[in-house]
Amino acid sequence: MSKFLYENYKDYFRVGAAVSGIILMNDAEREELFQNMKRRMEEFKKNFKPQPGMPEFKFPEPEPFPKGDMPDKKLAAQHFNLVVAENECKMGSIYHGPDNFDFSGADRLLKFARENNQAMRWHTLVWHNQSPRWIFEDGNGGKASKELLEERLKNYIMTVGQRYKDDICSVDVVNECISDKNFILRDGADRSQWFDIMGPDYVDKAFFWAKEAFPNSSLVINDYNLEMIEDKRQGMYNLVKGMKERGVPVDTVGLQMHINIKNPPISEIEQTIELYGSLGLNVIVTEMEVSAYLDKDFEHPDPRREYDQAFLDEQAERYYQIFECFKKEAKAGILKDVVLWGVTDGMSWKNNFPAPGRGDAPLLFDKDGNPKPAFDRLTK
Ligand code: XIL
């Protein structure tokens, strides 16, 4: 076994990490970000109207970033052979107007990937979240027309492809398009302005444009809870089956896999991978972490779990068993990449989701960058 995580799996799949732009910033940039976060939190608190009956909770106070390199930077460089931007390649970070693109965050991650001989993924081209507001507007207080939105989206996809097509191994073309209510395409009432304005073909169109823009990258449809909720898994199956029949160039299903210490059972993960494999599609794991909290804890925003030795050992065993399942599915030719959504616990988005400020410990390194039992279990 090697002390570097990815080397232990190199005969099976690449092991990736989502890299936050924050870890690639210098101290001055981080200080500016911290001041902005403080300002935004104050605004949020001022405008916050609690719902009747809502449990009281303390708002998370932004904390200043430590000076110098954060542990995540070195760990991301050493242990992973694939990276993806946690936020910097989302449309809202890049597309500020019809002819106004800011590629600074994406370029910075690409430079990091090159320096460390890593492959890079693109997350994500089309999503109902973290999209810029202007794109859905006509500039006169109304909604953009279908034609206008299509032109803007196509222009975006082509521009991104022109710049990065030779550097990106796989692209999340459409993210989170299956509804949690009825397991068909998420519509306007369910927060997809893409569906609302372009209609249900927006997914196929995005894939055709992505194929033109990134002719050599694998094209992924990505979603959460596919391994957790059978109806959602089936909904995605129906969608991709139809896409294949229509000749839409989707080749991979991305399982986000924001899972927890108990759920789902490994058998469900295995079934999910094999279900999409049965359509001749590849599968990648795009955003995995193993939360300390079960789904039913979603309602309780209080920080209250000890990340004691028993938890850490249970988490280690769970990571190990799941990675063994991944090895099997890689050998079967279906699973290609496994990406973790972050490096150290301190930087994980799960500290604030679904319960702001609750904290969590879902990754392989603790907040100081020390390897946790789960890391040891995967490398020894
Ligand atoms: C999350 C990031 O981790 C956070 O920093 C950001 O505030 C919100 O988005 N599914 C996705 C990811 O596809 O883009 C999300 O990332 C996590 C859920």
Side-chain angles (χ1 to χ4, degrees), residues 69-360:
D69 275 353
M70 302 169 90
D72 299 67
K73 190 172 178 185
K74 184 155 175 223
L75 295 169
Q78 282 184 329
H79 291 291
F80 300 90
N81 53 354
L82 172 62
V83 290
V84 63
E86 188 174 348
N87 288 298
E88 290 65 28
C89 297
K90 292 172 181 173
M91 193 187 270
S93 306
I94 294 178
Y95 205 14
H96 299 311
D99 298 307
N100 184 357
F101 292 78
D102 175 2
F103 288 118
S104 55
D107 283 351
R108 200 183 279 202
L109 182 61
L110 180 59
K111 180 167 172 276
F112 180 83
R114 284 187 177 143
E115 283 164 3
N116 297 300
N117 286 317
Q118 296 164 311
M120 177 166 159
R121 321 192 51 243
W122 189 272
H123 173 78
T124 174
L125 292 174
V126 185
W127 188 22
H128 61 279
N129 285 332
Q130 293 181 270
S131 297
R133 199 175 303 159
W134 67 267
I135 199 169
F136 304 114
E137 295 171 349
D138 68 359
N140 297 313
K143 262 189 210 173
S145 66
K146 182 174 196 271
E147 292 66 35
L148 183 59
L149 184 59
E150 287 188 2
E151 183 195 309
R152 288 172 174 173
L153 177 58
K154 183 172 182 193
N155 178 34
Y156 179 71
I157 294 176
M158 293 302 163
T159 308
V160 173
Q162 221 164 49
R163 192 173 177 101
Y164 296 107
K165 65 177 185 314
D166 298 326
D167 300 304
I168 296 295
C169 59
S170 65
V171 180
D172 291 340
V173 179
V174 176
N175 193 33
E176 302 185 347
C177 69
I178 302 283
S179 164
D180 294 315
K181 295 182 185 148
N182 50 18
F183 310 111
I184 55 177
L185 272 190
R186 184 191 285 279
D187 62 15
D190 206 359
R191 297 183 299 127
S192 176
Q193 287 166 284
W194 298 106
F195 184 107
D196 186 40
I197 299 176
M198 285 174 61
D201 328 328
Y202 85 90
V203 176
D204 290 7
K205 286 189 173 145
F207 272 88
F208 282 116
W209 294 328
K211 184 74 197 169
E212 261 185 74
F214 291 89
N216 304 317
S217 311
S218 90
L219 302 183
V220 183
I221 188 153
N222 192 43
D223 218 321
Y224 58 91
N225 280 352
L226 300 173
E227 63 294 321
M228 200 81 100
I229 297 173
E230 205 184 328
D231 286 344
K232 190 160 183 181
R233 182 185 316 158
Q234 191 60 41
M236 175 60 90
Y237 176 88
N238 298 341
L239 175 68
V240 286
K241 185 163 183 287
M243 288 170 76
K244 294 269 289 179
E245 285 162 6
R246 294 191 294 277
V248 179
V250 56
D251 56 68
T252 302
V253 176
L255 312 181
Q256 291 188 1
M257 282 195 66
H258 297 290
I259 62 169
N260 67 55
I261 191 72
K262 295 272 188 261
N263 298 314
I266 309 240
S267 57
E268 301 266 311
I269 298 172
E270 194 176 281
Q271 276 171 31
T272 308
I273 297 173
E274 291 175 8
L275 179 70
Y276 300 126
S278 74
L279 287 172
L281 292 163
N282 292 329
V283 172
I284 63 178
V285 171
T286 52
E287 306 183 16
M288 181 181 175
E289 80 273 287
V290 178
S291 171
Y293 296 96
L294 309 191
D295 322 353
K296 63 182 164 54
D297 295 342
F298 275 30
E299 307 273 294
H300 303 279
D302 51 321
R304 73 201 188 297
R305 185 162 181 165
E306 285 294 319
Y307 309 119
D308 56 13
Q309 195 60 41
F311 164 74
L312 294 172
D313 290 345
E314 189 182 350
Q315 186 182 47
E317 193 53 29
R318 184 141 163 82
Y319 263 107
Y320 175 74
Q321 296 298 341
I322 294 174
F323 270 57
E324 288 301 295
C325 161
F326 290 162
K327 276 160 86 172
K328 190 177 122 200
E329 298 306 331
K331 272 256 176 292
I334 307 172
L335 186 79
K336 302 297 173 189
D337 292 326
V338 174
V339 180
L340 302 180
W341 203 244
V343 181
T344 66
D345 284 344
M347 291 291 288
S348 168
W349 77 300
K350 292 296 291 178
N351 291 307
N352 285 307
F353 184 89
R358 179 174 63 187
D360 205 336

